[in-house]
Amino acid sequence: MKTDIAIIGAGTAGMSAAIYAKRAGKDVLMFEGYMPGGQIVVTPEVDNYPALGKVSGYDFAIGLFNQATELGTEMISANVSRITRKDGGFLVSYDGGEVEAKAIIIATGAKNRKLDVENEDKFTGYGVSYCATCDGAFFKGQTVAVVGGGNTAFEDAEVLASLCSKVYLIHRREGFRAEPEKVAKIKSLPNVEFILNAKVTELKGDDKLSGAVVEDVVSGEKREIALNGIFVAVGQTPSTDVFEGLVKRDNAGYIIAGEDCIAAEGVFVAGDCRTKKVRQLVTAAADGSVAALAASEYCSRD
Ligand code: NAP
């Protein structure tokens, strides 16, 4: 099979790239290993995308997907395992086959970072979760904790505070990356208690989570809190290992490219997996358009 542009990843950046590349008249094949939509599918509410007002993350993702596929974007549900250069273009290998492409757009985003404490994997699905929107309802009326101080942690805390009797917000310092408006809202909720300057050092339980050991990073004092669930919201790591050798990555694994989204000859990168300061829906969509137009121009060169 052959295509003009292979897009790896069907999140906001990838689907925006597909829309722009199709409108530029290119054949587009998009690969997605899990489900279209990326991180936004599990975001309860998007309220900072210009002109949209309030919209659920799911509806936002469906809108993007419909727009990309109605324009003729073809989808392959598979993980890409390797991309190699071949005859001036690329050979994309995936579970189930190979595709030749003139240009590549990498839009694989990022996946949830773990706490890296003992028993985290053992209790995942048994009290440890990385998605409050997906799993919050299992903890209705119970006691849970959210770990992290970014926008995700505060959005998770809001979702959980509406369902659970008690929510601890555990963060390793006193300042937050989250927007002040989100912080103020959570501070006003009576069933949320902040545990600051603190890190989770141990997860307790037999078959499922029953508590966590929390260490005060200033005094070194440890205490155990009883918990039914713990929601880890400590940021993401980019999903870029498969592109080792094809592009340059920084120490954290982000693919190095500027605002032109050019990562290497014929390879473009869009969205959260690119080196950049602001990772938002609107910047992912913007990257998608920039990468797609650059890739389309690249495909049309003599
Ligand atoms: P983030 O902004 O990178 O925040 C991660 C948080 O986890 C930080 O508070 C960080 O602490 C903490 N942390 C990191 N590693 C840790 C560890 N090993 N142990 C304990 N704590 C740790 O991640 P995010 O909240 O997932 O957001 C990612 C991006 O998406 C951001 O750009 C965010 O603005 C954006 N986002 C936007 C929205 C929205 O606009 N509606 C919603 C969600 C996410 P330190 O601060 O001390 O480093």
Side-chain angles (χ1 to χ4, degrees):
M1 206 194 310
K2 288 188 177 184
T3 189
D4 291 325
I5 302 173
I7 300 177
I8 325 300
T12 300
M15 291 200 281
S16 301
I19 291 165
Y20 273 77
K22 285 306 299 179
R23 288 170 60 91
K26 300 301 169 198
D27 288 334
V28 176
L29 197 54
M30 191 155 62
F31 290 88
E32 175 57 48
Y34 178 49
M35 67 182 283
Q39 294 174 49
I40 198 62
V41 172
V42 294
T43 299
E45 192 171 76
V46 176
D47 59 3
N48 58 4
Y49 198 93
L52 285 191
K54 287 186 195 300
V55 61
S56 78
Y58 181 80
D59 287 345
F60 182 91
I62 290 293
L64 268 177
F65 177 77
N66 289 342
Q67 201 173 348
T69 50
E70 279 162 16
L71 283 164
T73 300
E74 289 187 54
M75 297 276 302
I76 293 186
S77 290
N79 284 310
V80 167
S81 52
R82 210 159 101 95
I83 298 180
T84 46
R85 291 189 182 269
K86 186 189 172 197
D87 303 334
F90 300 89
L91 188 67
V92 180
S93 308
Y94 63 96
D95 332 328
E98 286 179 338
V99 171
E100 285 182 36
K102 292 180 190 162
I104 303 290
I105 297 177
I106 300 171
T108 43
K111 58 178 183 293
N112 294 319
R113 189 180 289 143
K114 291 184 175 188
L115 280 177
D116 274 337
V117 294
E118 207 179 326
N119 291 329
E120 186 171 5
D121 287 340
K122 178 181 163 189
F123 291 142
T124 297
Y126 300 91
V128 174
S129 170
Y130 300 84
C131 176
T133 315
C134 320
D135 299 332
F138 295 123
F139 299 90
K140 208 168 180 181
Q142 300 184 356
T143 299
V144 299
V146 175
V147 187
N151 279 327
T152 303
F154 278 82
E155 287 186 358
D156 284 0
E158 187 176 352
V159 169
L160 294 166
S162 70
L163 296 165
C164 303
S165 56
K166 173 89 182 178
V167 178
Y168 293 100
L169 190 134
I170 303 169
H171 180 40
R172 64 185 179 185
R173 60 190 176 96
E174 278 182 6
F176 305 107
R177 285 175 198 261
E179 292 163 10
E181 197 183 298
K182 290 191 197 296
V183 176
K185 186 161 194 181
I186 298 304
K187 279 188 172 167
S188 73
L189 299 177
N191 60 339
V192 179
E193 181 179 333
F194 284 66
I195 304 179
L196 302 181
N197 290 321
K199 63 179 183 189
V200 174
T201 56
E202 212 183 324
L203 299 175
K204 296 278 195 185
D206 293 323
D207 296 339
K208 58 180 186 174
L209 183 87
S210 62
V213 177
V214 177
E215 180 182 325
D216 186 307
V217 296
V218 181
S219 66
E221 202 174 296
K222 287 187 178 181
R223 66 165 161 144
E224 188 174 332
I225 49 173
L227 293 173
N228 302 106
I230 192 161
F231 288 79
V232 181
V234 296
Q236 282 94 31
T237 48
S239 306
T240 59
D241 288 352
V242 79
F243 310 111
E244 175 75 50
L246 185 69
V247 291
K248 287 195 179 124
R249 298 187 298 159
D250 71 5
N251 289 340
Y254 291 95
I255 295 172
I256 297 171
E259 294 299 314
D260 59 7
C261 296
I262 299 172
E265 191 182 344
V267 184
F268 306 85
V269 56
D272 285 7
C273 62
R274 174 169 83 80
T275 48
K276 56 156 89 177
K277 189 161 179 218
V278 181
R279 293 190 172 86
Q280 292 283 304
L281 271 187
V282 73
T283 60
D287 270 15
S289 70
V290 171
L293 295 177
S296 300
E297 198 179 303
Y298 180 83
C299 290
S300 303
R301 79 202 190 293
D302 292 330

